[in-house]
Every structure is written in structure tokens, then in C-alpha cells.
Amino acid sequence: MIIESIDIRHFGKLSDFKATFDRGFNLIEGRAESGKTTLAAFIVYMLYGFPEEGASFSEREHRTPWEGMGASGSMTFTVKDVRYRVDRTSETTERGWRDTYALYNLTLGAPEQGVL
């Protein structure tokens, strides 16, 4: 898998953050507390969502922006010459959290999977 780009709408301390990556090695550098670990956690979130609840302070609580909005974003990647985009959103509702995702095959121009 080759990650081409990410678009973080809201995730932890990062909002309205976009990045593109080149094929090969990409180095992420920055000062302490600049968002490097948050960026890595966002990539994991795009692929797997948040882990099941259980810890006293969950990854979801840690990565959901304090401004009250849910975590959301997208990532474009290539697997075996097929381009995909995954969109994922986690938002709070009266019943708890609602997590949705969609996977699009950009090569074919069609959805691959629907909403959870």
C-alpha cells in the first residue's frame, strides 16, 4: 500500500490539515507537540477506526477535538495499481458514538463498501 494523501478535517489537535506523499521514503519531522504522533494515529484511524472502548481514557477521547466536533477525514492510497479513498467520521449522538466510513475505488469510480 502506498499512501498518496491525507485530508484531516478534525483529529486531535489537527484541523484542516492536508498532506501529500511521494513514492518511496517520506520523513515527517517537527518540533515537540507539533502533531507528528497525531498524524500517525490518524493513518491508523483511517485504516481501522477507533479501537473498542475499554480503557479509562480511550483513544477516541484522546483524538476527538475538544471543540466538540467529531473526528473526520480521508486518505487516498494505492494498492496493486488500484487507487482508493477512505472517508471516516466519528461523531457523538444522543445514544453515544456513531462511526461511519466509506471506501471508494477511484480507479473504477465506484464505491467499494458502504457505511458501517
Side-chain angles (χ1 to χ4, degrees), residues 11 14 17-19 22 27 38-39 55 63 71 76 90 95 109-110:
F11 191 80
L14 299 176
F17 177 87
K18 296 181 183 197
D22 296 322
L27 177 68
T38 302
L39 179 61
R63 302 297 179 193
T76 302
S90 298
R95 295 186 191 199

Side-chain angles (χ1 to χ4, degrees), residues 30-45:
R31 294 174 289 133
E33 299 297 321
S34 64
K36 300 178 300 292
T37 302
T38 302
L39 179 61
F42 177 79
I43 293 169
V44 172
Y45 167 68

Side-chain angles (χ1 to χ4, degrees), residues 1-32:
M1 178 173 79
I2 298 169
I3 299 173
E4 296 177 15
S5 64
I6 59 170
D7 180 1
I8 300 174
R9 287 182 284 287
H10 304 288
F11 191 80
K13 71 180 293 175
L14 299 176
S15 290
D16 299 320
F17 177 87
K18 296 181 183 197
T20 57
F21 301 97
D22 296 322
R23 285 189 174 262
F25 183 77
N26 289 267
L27 177 68
I28 308 296
E29 66 177 347
R31 294 174 289 133

Side-chain angles (χ1 to χ4, degrees), residues 35-97:
K36 300 178 300 292
T37 302
T38 302
L39 179 61
F42 177 79
I43 293 169
V44 172
Y45 167 68
M46 282 291 101
L47 296 172
Y48 304 106
F50 285 122
E52 294 295 319
E53 300 297 322
S56 59
F57 188 72
S58 71
E59 180 73 5
R60 180 188 303 277
E61 291 169 318
H62 187 64
R63 302 297 179 193
T64 300
W66 292 356
E67 293 83 21
M69 60 201 74
S72 64
S74 63
M75 181 172 74
T76 302
F77 58 96
T78 302
V79 176
K80 297 183 180 178
D81 296 325
V82 179
R83 293 184 70 229
Y84 297 94
R85 185 184 80 232
V86 62
D87 298 329
R88 192 176 288 277
T89 301
S90 298
E91 58 191 354
T92 186
T93 68
E94 291 109 23
R95 295 186 191 199
W97 287 95

